[in-house]
């Protein structure tokens, strides 16, 4: 056994990011090869894989909270992180510590020999390794991008979930819902349950499910959740449950809750839950950076909305949760995002735009962001970075105004760091 390459988590991560392999290289061969060497590809516990354009983090959080309420030891892998890499892997609701990551990275490094891996592939294999050594009762795996060729798809999920399908990562996944739907359908498996939380799923997704014999259930067709006097009613076939509304903000979270409940129902023979666990989990679930309120003055909201569908959802929450004054939008986004479409969705609720540059791979300057923003109703000011834009928005806020930070995980991370 060779001595570990590094002794600290920051050193491991810096090295992974310095490797010559591109930031995004889709494909399963590398992960499957190393995963097989480490005997990680056939987990002994059930696996739920969650893909989709938006809603993945919320569905994972709802699943995690409900399963934990029943007492199951849950392993959850999500990405990207906001403040600390450790956020990506949780066991029993607690972020994994540096030591476990270092042990996993060392095992992966030695098993890969000279095979190159991306930063995300290292992280995916580390999560699988940690979950195996810690003997979790269930794994919740969030797809990083697409599905068919995402590293997470090296594992055959017992239940596959596709939340929504919309335009994002067009350079890699395609520029229309049918192309993207086919990529996301790649996480489905023959004869196994497949849950779709999109009320109008692309034909490509449904056709693929039928082609391979996946047991597809679609929101609005096979299961549903509707508001009731005391919360919500979830129904699937002849089953009916009366439950509280999810604590997560936004009317669309009802669909995410319905989708999570359908996934758990599919696993009920192996991991049964009581109605009390469902109810507790729905009330307890939370996701950092999704309409996250921070104390003022001025009051501030952070949301990682970074595509047009997510921007429309954010706009709907802001309209349903109005303030007397203006929404001051602190905004930046990565170069591959459809900034005009995001701006179009949010400009109806924006009082002023404070656009910022991002010093990151695929980052843009403030001038680039402003140019892509196009013609908006609200005024636009430009700042070199998010911290400067945030400070300017706070300084200009009058009584009744609210600061809204959005456009990217990186944008929100700055605001959250400033609030600590």
């Amino acid at each position: 056994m060779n001595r570990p390459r590094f002794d600290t988590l920051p050193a491991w991560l810096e090295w992974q990011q310095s490797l010559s392999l591109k930031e995004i290289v889709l494909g399963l061969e590398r992960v499957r090869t190393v995963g097989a060497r480490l005997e990680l590809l056939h987990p002994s516990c059930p696996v739920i894989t969650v893909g989709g354009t938006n809603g993945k983090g919320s569905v994972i959080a709802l699943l995690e909270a409900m399963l934990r309420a029943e007492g199951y030891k849950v392993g959850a892998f999500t990405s990207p992180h906001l403040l600390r890499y450790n956020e990506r892997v949780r066991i029993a609701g607690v972020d994994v510590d540096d030591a476990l990551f270092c042990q996993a990275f060392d095992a992966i490094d030695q098993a890969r020999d000279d095979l190159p891996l991306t930063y995300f592939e290292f992280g995916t294999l580390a999560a699988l390794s940690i979950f195996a050594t810690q003997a979790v009762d269930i794994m919740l795996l969030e797809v990083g991008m697409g599905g068919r060729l995402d590293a997470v798809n090296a594992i055959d999920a017992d239940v596959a979930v596709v939340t929504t399908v919309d335009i994002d990562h067009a350079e890699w996944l395609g520029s229309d819902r049918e192309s993207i739907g086919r990529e996301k359908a790649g996480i489905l498996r023959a004869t196994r349950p497949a849950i779709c939380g999109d009320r109008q799923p692309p034909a490509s997704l449904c056709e693929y499910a039928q082609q391979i014999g996946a047991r597809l259930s679609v929101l609005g067709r096979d299961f549903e959740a509707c508001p009731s006097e005391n919360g919500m009613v979830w129904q699937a076939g002849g089953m009916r449950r009366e439950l509280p509304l999810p604590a997560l903000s936004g009317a669309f979270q009802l669909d995410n809750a319905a989708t999570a409940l359908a996934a758990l129902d599919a696993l009920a023979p192996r991991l049964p839950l009581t109605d009390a666990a469902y109810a507790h989990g729905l009330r307890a679930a939370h996701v950092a950076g999704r309409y996250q309120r921070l104390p003022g003055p001025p009051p501030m909201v952070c949301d990682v909305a970074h595509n047009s569908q997510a921007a429309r959802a954010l706009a709907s929450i802001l309209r349903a949760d109005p303030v007397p004054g203006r929404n001051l939008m602190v905004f930046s986004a990565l170069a591959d995002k459809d900034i005009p479409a995001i701006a179009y969705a949010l400009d109806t609720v924006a009082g002023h735009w404070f656009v910022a540059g991002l010093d990151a791979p695929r980052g843009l300057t403030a001038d680039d962001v402003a140019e892509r923003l196009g013609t908006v109703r609200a005024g636009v000011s430009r700042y070199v970075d998010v911290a400067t834009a945030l400070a300017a928005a706070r300084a200009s806020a009058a009584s009744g105004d609210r600061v809204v930070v959005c456009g990217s995980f990186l944008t929100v991370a700055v605001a959250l760091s400033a609030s600590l």
Side-chain angles (χ1 to χ4, degrees):
M1 181 70 69
N2 296 326
R3 187 179 184 281
R5 187 184 297 269
F6 301 105
D7 296 323
T8 68
L9 180 57
W12 274 109
L13 298 177
E14 183 179 0
W15 173 72
Q16 290 169 23
Q17 290 174 310
S18 72
L19 298 178
S20 59
L21 207 57
K22 293 180 182 177
E23 179 189 8
I24 298 173
V25 183
L26 298 177
L28 299 178
E29 182 178 351
R30 297 177 302 276
V31 170
R32 282 178 172 161
T33 298
V34 179
R37 292 173 184 171
L38 292 169
E39 300 183 347
L40 299 176
L41 299 186
H42 303 286
S44 59
C45 66
V47 176
I48 300 178
T49 296
V50 181
T53 304
N54 294 297
K56 298 188 295 292
S58 295
V59 168
I60 292 268
L62 289 159
L63 290 168
E64 184 179 15
M66 289 187 280
L67 287 160
R68 289 187 60 219
E70 191 62 49
Y72 294 116
K73 186 177 182 180
V74 183
F77 171 56
T78 60
S79 64
H81 61 278
L82 283 166
L83 300 179
R84 299 172 66 243
Y85 185 88
N86 308 65
E87 298 165 22
R88 294 181 177 228
V89 182
R90 295 185 301 278
I91 295 179
V94 178
D95 296 346
V96 165
D97 63 24
D98 289 14
L100 280 177
F101 273 114
C102 289
Q103 292 169 17
F105 286 145
D106 178 46
I108 294 161
D109 189 28
Q110 299 201 38
R112 74 183 182 90
D113 197 13
D114 291 327
L115 188 66
L117 294 172
T118 67
Y119 178 82
F120 184 76
E121 288 168 343
F122 267 106
T124 302
L125 287 164
L128 297 175
S129 176
I130 291 167
F131 294 154
T133 60
Q134 299 301 303
V136 298
D137 295 321
I138 182 170
M139 297 184 190
L140 307 178
L141 307 179
E142 180 183 349
V143 170
M145 181 189 295
R148 182 174 64 92
L149 298 176
D150 186 83
V152 163
N153 201 33
I155 301 297
D156 293 327
D158 295 278
V159 179
V161 177
V162 176
T163 54
T164 61
V165 179
D166 209 277
I167 311 300
D168 198 7
H169 303 298
E171 181 180 348
W172 294 275
L173 306 180
S175 57
D176 59 84
R177 291 184 77 240
E178 291 300 326
S179 300
I180 295 171
R182 173 60 186 83
E183 291 296 319
K184 295 189 182 300
I187 65 172
L188 277 52
R189 293 296 189 267
T191 75
R192 297 187 180 184
I195 312 298
C196 181
D198 194 313
R199 292 181 178 275
Q200 296 182 310
S204 59
L205 185 148
C206 299
E207 290 167 359
Y208 182 73
Q210 183 176 21
Q211 175 188 334
I212 67 169
R215 292 151 46 198
L216 180 64
S217 297
V218 178
L219 176 63
R221 186 190 75 182
D222 304 297
F223 63 94
E224 183 62 276
C226 299
S228 66
E229 184 176 347
N230 298 314
M232 72 172 184
V233 175
W234 180 83
Q235 299 179 82
M239 187 178 301
R240 172 188 170 96
R241 290 194 178 97
E242 295 188 15
L243 296 165
L245 289 169
L248 301 173
S249 297
F252 55 88
Q253 293 292 359
L254 195 63
D255 286 356
N256 287 331
T259 302
L261 287 162
L264 292 176
D265 185 59
L267 268 185
R270 296 177 67 182
L271 294 176
L273 275 76
T274 62
D275 283 353
Y278 289 126
H280 181 86
L282 289 166
R283 295 192 194 100
H286 69 279
V287 192
R290 276 70 161 185
Y291 205 74
Q292 183 175 351
R293 295 180 177 90
L294 299 177
M300 183 161 61
V301 168
C302 295
D303 195 289
V304 297
H306 56 274
N307 55 54
S308 59
Q309 184 185 53
R312 293 193 299 271
L314 174 56
S316 71
I317 304 178
L318 291 170
R319 283 191 289 269
D321 182 27
V323 291
R326 304 168 296 165
N327 288 310
L328 307 179
M329 315 299 290
V330 176
F331 178 81
S332 194
L334 297 175
D336 59 311
K337 302 305 175 184
D338 189 350
I339 294 176
I342 297 171
Y344 180 80
L346 290 173
D347 197 44
T348 56
V349 294
H352 192 85
W353 291 87
F354 296 77
V355 302
L358 281 177
D359 183 15
R362 296 181 285 139
L364 296 170
T365 67
D367 288 342
D368 291 332
V369 176
E371 182 179 348
R372 297 189 187 198
L373 212 61
T375 303
V376 291
R377 175 186 58 83
V380 178
S381 302
R382 309 178 189 198
Y383 301 89
V384 65
D385 55 33
V386 176
T388 307
L390 178 61
R394 283 173 159 169
S396 67
S399 177
D401 289 347
R402 170 173 57 191
V403 175
V404 180
V405 183
C406 60
S408 168
F409 278 80
L410 297 170
T411 313
V412 167
V414 174
L416 293 179
S417 296
S419 69
L420 294 178

